[in-house]
Amino acid sequence: MSIAEENRAINLFKEVRCLVCQGQTIHESNSDFAESMKKYIKSELENGKTNDEVFSSLIEKYGQWIVYDPGVSRNTLLLWALPLLLFLVGGVIIAKKIFRKI
C-alpha cells in the first residue's frame, strides 16, 4: 500500500466502531475483531472500493451501529432533528418569559 492508501485506511479505521471494545474505534483497539476488520478494510481498498462502498458493506454485515457517523436516514432522522427541536423549544420558552416581563 502507498502512503496515501495507508492514510486513507487509517482514516476509515477511526470511523469504524469495534464491536468487542466498548466505545473504541478499530484504530484504537487491539482485539482480534479489530485486527480482522483492519485487514478486511485494507483488502477492500486494495480492490478499488470507495469509502462509501466499504461502509455500505460493513453496515450491511454488522448494522448501522458499526460506524460512528450514522448519516441521515429514516431511522436516524429523530437523532439529527432532536437537538434542533430542543433548541427551538428552549428559545420559544425563553422568549415568552422575556416578553411577559416587558
Side-chain angles (χ1 to χ4, degrees):
M1 283 185 111
S2 70
I3 293 174
E5 290 173 330
E6 189 68 33
N7 288 335
R8 184 174 158 214
I10 289 171
N11 287 333
L12 288 176
F13 297 163
K14 291 178 181 179
E15 295 180 36
V16 175
R17 189 184 312 265
C18 179
L19 298 181
V20 176
C21 308
Q22 190 72 19
Q24 284 187 329
T25 65
I26 62 171
H27 180 68
E28 300 165 327
S29 175
N30 292 323
S31 70
D32 290 338
F33 175 79
E35 294 302 320
S36 67
M37 292 301 295
K38 289 175 188 177
K39 288 178 186 175
Y40 172 77
I41 290 172
K42 283 183 179 181
S43 71
E44 291 291 292
L45 293 178
E46 287 172 355
N47 290 332
K49 300 278 177 98
T50 65
N51 292 2
D52 289 338
E53 290 173 330
V54 173
F55 284 140
S56 294
S57 67
L58 291 174
I59 290 169
E60 185 178 313
K61 196 179 246 184
Y62 298 103
Q64 189 71 37
W65 197 78
I66 191 93
V67 293
Y68 270 103
D69 182 9
V72 179
S73 70
R74 202 172 85 199
N75 296 334
T76 62
L77 191 58
L78 183 62
L79 174 71
W80 289 103
L82 192 59
L84 178 62
L85 291 173
L86 291 175
F87 177 75
L88 292 174
V89 168
V92 168
I93 291 170
I94 291 170
K96 281 185 177 183
K97 288 189 180 229
I98 289 173
F99 287 122
R100 277 190 193 160
K101 290 182 179 182
I102 295 177

